[in-house]
Amino acid sequence: MKQGFRQSMAWLHTWTGLLVGWLLLLIFMGGTSSYYKQEISRWMRPELPTTHVDSATALASAERFLRHHAADAVSWNITLPDARTQAIEMYWMNPPAPEGAPARRPYGQATVDPRSGETVAARETRGGEFLYRLHFDLHYIPVVWARYIVGFCAMFMLVAIITGVITHKKIFKDFFTFRPGKGQRSWLDFHNVSAVLALPYHAMITYTGIVTLVFMYLPWAISARYPGNEMQYYAEAANRIQDAGPAAGTPATMLPLKELLARAATEWPGVDIGTVSVANPGDAHATVDFGARPDALSSIAPSLRYDAVSGRLLERSAPPGAATQTFGTLYGLHMARFADPALRLLFFGCGLLGCLMVASGAVLWAQKERPKHLKAGRIGFGLRLVDSLNIGAVAGLPIAFAAYFWGNRLLPVGIDGRAELEQNVFFWAWAAALLAAFVWPRRVMWAWQLYVGAAMFVGTPVVNALTTGIHLGVTIPAGLWSLAGVDLVCLGLGLCLAVAARRVQRWQPPLPASQRKARPQPAAAKDVPRVEESA
């Protein structure tokens, strides 16, 4: 090996980071925003109720609604409200339509006010779920292929992290070193600081991200142990109670779900029950499953099953084994559902540092390559391509995220296919930013796109106030702080983008050493290397 081990790792670090860097940035941005998926979903449906009620009241309202609107359903599934979500979400499975009758949808769903038990006429949107799914399902391509692509990127990211640690001889010194205004040196310092400051988080989130889909990437052991019945493995791995049996075909009166909830609370003292599932409602074989809210470190949540007619406890999930608990803990670390507000904010901040790390790494490569191209007298295709992708991803993705929020507020509420249209707005905005970057990959394009992103994020609270009447200048009820929180974060992100745009606009390339000695004052424009002609 002509180069030393560390130099070889530097080469590997550079290319594993660069080749997937732009897609990694999308993954990091979508994943980071997912820490506040519920708050974003709440913001994007301002019609939802703002007051929180106890679980027993909410469950009674849900049961009343389902008995009226889905009495003949095969099953009911209810998600109870919590401190972050004030509405009841439910869906039910419909039986097949009788022969000769018009076809009916296989399932129904509703969002219900827990106080009144009535449907909430909220706008159609995927809310934070779109951003959550975006970071591992992508969009417009088959889900299986998307997850393979994301897994490939995550593996490259893990290699980049490991080789980055090997490459840095002074990793602890880099934690405290940042020299602004030094061109390429400043970019390297910024990349090092953003990487080292949250290094444990970067390693954890990348590794656990791969683990969440490990059964998809390595399915052969499951196929060998459970031939033709892979779903049994997933049920056992998730420590789930077996599916309920078939209906008896004999009508029976069920106990009120509120009463069964009280029995489950006695059986589970101190456990926060989040989901209720009823199989064969109104039948002699009706059963009710209660699931704990997955707010512990492990994502493996226990469950109880009751006979809905007699109220007898039928089954409870067994304590998970070591392997199941290990997988559940790794999965739970990645999802961070256990995090309290302070820890969730820390995860969010580390995620933003991850975005900055990926973005600065891609920009740093272009900064290192540019002097070679300037010396040759022309900007080559490779550098021009990287410059365009850097602008379209680093500066263009914030425009797309802000456009998604604007679309939620500005699209007509009753329009057909509204949720899909909101998602299309995201990609239309990103495509416009990418197209502009490829047409004119210059430094001024950086500033323009950063300014557009800043204006859109700062304008998000304004658009929210104009369309909903809820703004930061009024006294905000407790239930509306999720809306105010999204507005405040958008405002902060917009101000950061504006500062970055201003610095890009005012930045002047440093003079070569020979010119600095001969002329300590700023050189004339004709003497400055035309670095600004490219991004």
Side-chain angles (χ1 to χ4, degrees):
M1 189 165 54
K2 294 182 179 180
Q3 294 181 323
F5 178 69
R6 182 173 284 110
Q7 288 75 18
S8 299
M9 292 297 101
W11 177 90
L12 185 59
H13 174 78
T14 298
W15 287 103
T16 51
L18 180 68
L19 291 177
V20 298
W22 304 285
L23 187 53
L24 271 175
L25 185 59
L26 173 65
I27 294 169
F28 257 92
M29 285 187 174
T32 300
S33 65
S34 297
Y35 289 127
Y36 292 99
K37 179 177 70 172
Q38 288 91 332
E39 286 76 9
I40 293 173
S41 295
R42 175 67 185 83
W43 187 92
M44 298 184 78
R45 292 196 295 176
E47 302 86 0
L48 294 181
T50 60
T51 54
H52 180 67
V53 301
D54 60 275
S55 296
T57 302
L59 186 56
S61 298
E63 182 179 12
R64 187 165 60 251
F65 177 91
L66 290 168
R67 286 184 183 276
H68 185 263
H69 295 277
D72 62 341
V74 176
S75 64
W76 299 339
N77 295 274
I78 306 164
T79 300
L80 297 175
D82 59 8
R84 300 173 67 191
T85 307
Q86 285 77 39
I88 307 171
E89 300 289 345
M90 61 182 74
Y91 71 92
W92 57 90
M93 302 300 296
N94 290 318
E99 187 176 352
R104 63 188 303 186
R105 293 181 61 187
Y107 68 93
Q109 60 183 22
T111 301
V112 173
D113 187 326
R115 282 191 178 276
S116 66
E118 299 297 327
T119 305
V120 180
R123 64 191 65 194
E124 182 189 359
T125 179
R126 291 193 67 196
E129 185 71 16
F130 163 68
L131 301 177
Y132 166 67
R133 290 285 173 181
L134 180 66
H135 98 280
F136 66 97
D137 279 352
L138 304 181
H139 204 68
Y140 297 129
I141 61 176
V143 169
V144 173
W145 283 105
R147 295 186 179 185
Y148 275 120
I149 293 170
V150 170
F152 178 81
C153 293
M155 293 173 196
F156 264 49
M157 178 68 180
L158 190 60
V159 171
I161 291 173
I162 296 171
T163 53
V165 173
I166 295 172
T167 301
H168 286 86
K169 293 186 292 185
K170 303 176 181 178
I171 188 169
F172 293 106
K173 183 179 179 181
D174 288 341
F175 186 91
F176 303 99
T177 303
F178 178 64
R179 289 157 285 191
K182 301 293 184 181
Q184 180 181 318
R185 179 72 257 180
S186 298
W187 279 108
L188 180 59
D189 286 346
F190 184 78
H191 180 66
N192 290 339
V193 168
S194 60
V196 176
L197 190 61
L199 180 60
Y201 169 85
H202 298 326
M204 179 276 293
I205 206 68
T206 305
Y207 178 73
T208 55
I210 297 172
V211 168
T212 58
L213 297 175
V214 68
F215 302 127
M216 176 180 171
Y217 304 141
L218 301 172
W220 303 285
I222 300 174
S223 301
R225 180 63 180 83
Y226 297 85
N229 192 20
E230 287 83 359
M231 294 309 298
Q232 180 183 351
Y233 167 78
Y234 291 109
E236 294 178 6
N239 203 38
R240 291 200 302 264
I241 295 176
Q242 296 296 320
D243 292 339
T250 304
T253 301
M254 299 193 307
L255 293 173
L257 295 181
K258 181 179 179 179
E259 180 180 332
L260 294 175
L261 177 66
R263 298 189 185 189
T266 303
E267 190 75 25
W268 271 348
V271 174
D272 185 13
I273 295 175
T275 60
V276 181
S277 301
V278 182
N280 309 315
D283 187 83
H285 285 177
T287 58
V288 181
D289 292 358
F290 293 99
R293 207 178 297 277
D295 54 3
L297 179 58
S298 174
S299 65
I300 305 299
S303 55
L304 296 173
R305 174 170 293 168
Y306 286 88
D307 187 310
V309 177
S310 67
R312 181 169 55 93
L313 178 62
L314 298 177
E315 190 177 356
R316 66 190 310 160
S317 56
T324 300
Q325 191 67 25
T326 300
F327 173 78
T329 300
L330 293 175
Y331 191 95
L333 275 171
H334 190 81
M335 301 298 291
R337 291 171 179 160
F338 63 91
D340 58 22
L343 184 56
R344 186 175 296 109
L345 181 61
L346 177 61
F347 270 64
F348 181 75
C350 291
L352 291 179
L353 283 174
C355 298
L356 295 174
M357 174 188 66
V358 174
S360 59
V363 174
L364 178 60
W365 185 90
Q367 291 294 324
K368 291 173 67 175
E369 289 293 312
R370 190 171 287 43
K372 303 175 186 177
H373 291 254
L374 293 174
K375 187 175 181 180
R378 60 184 297 272
I379 300 297
F381 171 78
L383 180 58
R384 183 181 177 88
L385 176 64
V386 171
D387 282 338
S388 302
L389 290 172
N390 282 347
I391 299 172
V394 178
L397 273 173
I399 297 175
F401 276 78
Y404 181 58
F405 295 141
W406 279 49
N408 174 262
R409 287 297 189 260
L410 298 181
L411 290 173
V413 174
I415 192 173
D416 292 335
R418 190 178 188 281
E420 186 65 29
L421 192 56
E422 280 184 3
Q423 297 169 82
N424 291 340
V425 167
F426 178 97
F427 290 102
W428 292 340
W430 191 20
L434 280 168
L435 179 61
F438 273 92
V439 171
W440 199 20
R442 299 291 187 266
R443 182 160 58 89
V444 68
M445 181 59 68
W446 273 103
W448 287 356
Q449 292 206 18
L450 288 170
Y451 273 130
V452 170
M456 293 186 70
F457 268 115
V458 171
T460 298
V462 179
V463 173
N464 178 43
L466 293 175
T467 55
T468 66
I470 301 170
H471 57 89
L472 300 176
V474 301
T475 301
I476 300 174
L480 292 181
W481 269 110
S482 56
L483 278 73
V486 174
D487 281 346
L488 288 170
V489 171
C490 287
L491 183 61
L493 291 174
L495 294 176
C496 290
L497 289 171
V499 171
R502 182 62 175 164
R503 291 184 65 87
V504 169
Q505 188 179 36
R506 300 182 63 180
W507 181 81
Q508 293 295 330
L511 293 173
S514 58
Q515 294 188 24
R516 288 200 302 269
K517 292 178 181 179
R519 302 182 63 180
Q521 299 298 322
K526 63 180 181 179
D527 297 324
V528 179
R530 297 184 62 80
V531 179
E532 70 272 19
E533 286 301 315
S534 177

